[in-house]
Amino acid sequence: VTVGAQAACRDATATATATQELLKEGFHRDLLVKVELGAAEEDAGGCTVAARTRLPPGIYVDPYELASLQQHNLTKAVLIPDAIDVEAPEYLATDLLVLLYLEPDPRCSRCFRAALPVHGRYHRPAEDSEEALVVLKSPEVLVCCCDSRPSAECWKPVEAGAPCSGKTVGPCQWYGLTHKAAYEELILQVPVGLRQHSSLVCVLTLLATVLCSSMILAAVCKYGHFS
């Protein structure tokens, strides 16, 4: 992702604006992140723009799905850690750090955006609510400049643990931009079961298991070939 020419710090008070939005409904959503650079970052030449966000235990990124999307150049992101238990419920999972590389928005010269598929985890049954709330904090805005070195007075060096997009030779320094969030946090509503339904669910599950097992056994006895 390339923006303009050489970085210049014309207005030290200028900020970038970060916005994130959840698309679709239910457990399987798309996290859309949009960033608009301020005047001080407008000419950040040769730099990659990214958003770093921390996903709480109630939401995760499927690394296999992400690998497939990256093979088709549909998105690019780095997961920390990269080993994720996609079957773990919310109460056994941990936070996930995501660095999402952003692409230029053709409708706006200073705007960048990217979408990332995310999935809600199963939560413990609740007493009186059919939804659990998962809070996503506003992302950090980072830039990585391999072809130029911006003024330290404008951008603060940060450790990102990820390479610059499209760069394969030599390390690159990431910088954090002062930014303002359109919303301080985003709320994801995840459907959950009710505790008073536990007995009914257990009984129905047991009956379904017995019925299916009986049908399989009957089919084996009828059509199986035994020596």
Side-chain angles (χ1 to χ4, degrees):
V1 180
T2 302
V3 190
Q6 180 66 27
C9 192
R10 295 189 300 267
D11 181 4
T13 62
T15 62
T17 301
T19 305
Q20 58 182 0
E21 179 182 356
L22 283 168
L23 308 178
K24 303 180 181 178
E25 299 292 335
F27 280 91
H28 309 290
R29 313 289 287 270
D30 284 338
L31 178 62
L32 175 63
V33 180
K34 296 184 287 187
V35 169
E36 181 176 357
L37 300 181
E41 302 92 17
E42 182 177 6
D43 299 325
C47 297
T48 297
V49 180
R52 182 168 64 176
T53 186
R54 183 174 297 277
L55 300 182
I59 191 172
Y60 70 96
V61 176
D62 186 334
Y64 306 104
E65 180 183 23
L66 177 60
S68 176
L69 292 173
Q70 294 190 139
Q71 286 181 351
H72 294 86
N73 294 321
L74 297 178
T75 191
K76 184 172 183 181
V78 173
L79 308 180
I80 304 173
D82 56 1
I84 300 171
D85 185 354
V86 298
E87 301 294 339
E90 178 269 341
Y91 48 88
L92 295 179
T94 58
D95 289 359
L96 173 64
L97 193 62
V98 179
L99 185 71
L100 178 62
Y101 296 87
L102 307 182
E103 296 292 337
D105 187 337
R107 297 168 297 182
C108 172
S109 62
R110 295 188 301 179
C111 301
F112 300 82
R113 59 187 293 156
L116 181 69
V118 295
H119 308 276
R121 292 189 183 273
Y122 291 108
H123 288 61
R124 294 184 187 275
E127 293 290 348
D128 54 4
S129 175
E130 296 183 354
E131 292 181 330
L133 302 182
V134 180
V135 179
L136 282 73
K137 298 295 185 181
S138 175
E140 300 175 77
V141 180
L142 305 181
V143 294
C144 181
C145 301
C146 294
D147 301 328
S148 61
R149 180 180 294 275
S151 170
E153 297 178 356
C154 303
W155 302 342
K156 296 180 180 180
V158 298
E159 294 293 333
C164 277
S165 178
K167 301 293 182 178
T168 58
V169 180
C172 292
Q173 175 64 62
W174 286 93
Y175 295 86
L177 299 185
T178 301
H179 75 285
K180 60 183 178 180
Y183 307 98
E184 289 298 327
E185 58 186 32
L186 186 63
I187 306 295
L188 169 65
Q189 296 178 322
V190 179
V192 297
L194 297 176
R195 290 187 185 276
Q196 56 264 37
H197 296 163
S198 298
S199 299
L200 178 61
V201 171
C202 291
V203 171
L204 292 178
T205 302
L206 179 60
L207 292 176
T209 302
V210 172
L211 176 61
C212 293
S213 300
S214 301
M215 294 176 65
I216 294 173
L217 182 59
V220 170
C221 293
K222 183 176 182 179
Y223 301 105
H225 298 283
F226 304 96
S227 58

